[in-house]
Amino acid sequence: MLSLGLESVDQIVGLTDLDCIFSKWDFGSPSFEDWRHREAEAVRRLDDQVINAQCPVVDQRPVFSSEGFVLVTKTTKLPVLSRDKDKTVAILTYSQDLTLQKRLSELLELYRKYYSEKQAVQQLLMYLEIDRYFVELPTLDEVQTLFSLPQESNCSDETSNVHLLSLKDKVEQDNWYEMLIRLRAICLNAHEFGA
């Protein structure tokens, strides 16, 4: 429920599926608005397919969390049939979050589809929970450099990369390696779970 932006069960009573998907979200992005209109139609189309075919449907696509994070989900919709099995009386829907199974560079590109460059960087750093390490928001080039660092490297060639030097200036010195360790853990966990 928290992912929908709702705080209690009472708030969900009486809402339609589209109310739950969108509630009062507005992230100020024209791409988000376009996604929101297309998403409503996609949900209806999948539901119609499950009802008419009376068989499961699996779909994978980006969705938004109530915080504005772009998530990659695999959604499965299953028909719940009547006793006579002649019609679909309900649809069971569940989703699996595949976001962290993507490469960080892929996630950055996904955020750039829906947000301005600066917002994309900010939102992704917040999603990865590394925004607190920065004293100044890094540029797109700096974040791309950060995400391209070899995961097993100790960054011994740091002095030769202008973007990396600039990036390090935007992170509190004592937190640089802690942030790198956090990013490596995210990448290792993603690979462990099938990326």
Side-chain angles (χ1 to χ4, degrees):
M1 271 191 352
L2 290 176
S3 65
L4 297 174
L6 303 173
E7 296 175 11
S8 73
V9 174
D10 294 336
Q11 290 178 309
I12 203 167
V13 174
L15 296 179
T16 68
D17 58 344
L18 296 180
D19 292 334
C20 289
I21 292 171
F22 304 124
S23 58
K24 297 177 182 173
W25 303 351
D26 181 10
F27 304 122
S29 164
S31 296
F32 170 76
E33 290 303 316
D34 181 51
W35 171 86
R36 179 158 58 178
H37 295 297
R38 285 186 287 115
E39 183 68 5
E41 182 54 38
V43 169
R44 282 189 198 99
R45 191 176 62 249
L46 289 172
D47 286 348
D48 287 346
Q49 189 176 348
V50 171
I51 290 168
N52 295 328
Q54 293 185 341
C55 62
V57 173
V58 179
D59 185 50
Q60 183 175 318
R61 66 185 184 280
V63 298
F64 283 82
S65 74
S66 61
E67 299 89 1
F69 300 137
V70 182
L71 308 174
V72 178
T73 62
K74 177 181 174 184
T75 301
T76 303
K77 290 182 168 278
L78 301 165
V80 177
L81 301 177
S82 64
R83 279 190 188 180
D84 300 333
K85 299 185 189 224
D86 60 344
K87 71 177 190 173
T88 302
V89 294
I91 299 172
L92 172 65
T93 303
Y94 63 93
S95 295
Q96 179 183 6
D97 185 352
L98 305 176
T99 309
L100 288 177
Q101 293 182 13
K102 298 286 183 189
R103 289 188 182 109
L104 296 177
S105 58
E106 292 174 326
L107 287 180
L108 181 58
E109 288 309 306
L110 188 58
Y111 273 79
R112 289 183 67 202
K113 281 179 64 175
Y114 298 103
Y115 289 106
S116 69
E117 192 171 288
K118 184 177 177 180
Q119 284 180 306
V121 167
Q122 187 172 30
Q123 283 293 109
L124 183 53
L125 294 180
M126 288 170 49
Y127 174 74
L128 297 172
E129 296 181 1
I130 61 171
D131 58 310
R132 65 185 171 91
Y133 293 107
F134 292 92
V135 293
E136 181 182 337
L137 187 68
T139 66
L140 178 63
D141 289 335
E142 291 165 348
V143 171
Q144 287 171 328
T145 299
L146 177 64
F147 291 168
S148 70
L149 290 175
Q151 296 307 310
E152 292 79 30
S153 167
N154 63 4
C155 303
S156 57
D157 64 340
E158 291 176 0
T159 56
S160 64
N161 188 317
V162 174
H163 294 303
L164 188 56
L165 290 173
S166 177
L167 181 65
K168 285 185 75 174
D169 287 340
K170 294 180 179 181
V171 175
E172 291 181 22
Q173 185 177 4
D174 295 341
N175 292 333
W176 174 252
Y177 289 105
E178 182 181 324
M179 182 188 64
L180 290 181
I181 289 168
R182 183 169 183 78
L183 277 178
R184 288 181 184 140
I186 290 169
C187 293
L188 288 174
N189 285 338
H191 289 294
E192 189 175 302
F193 292 106

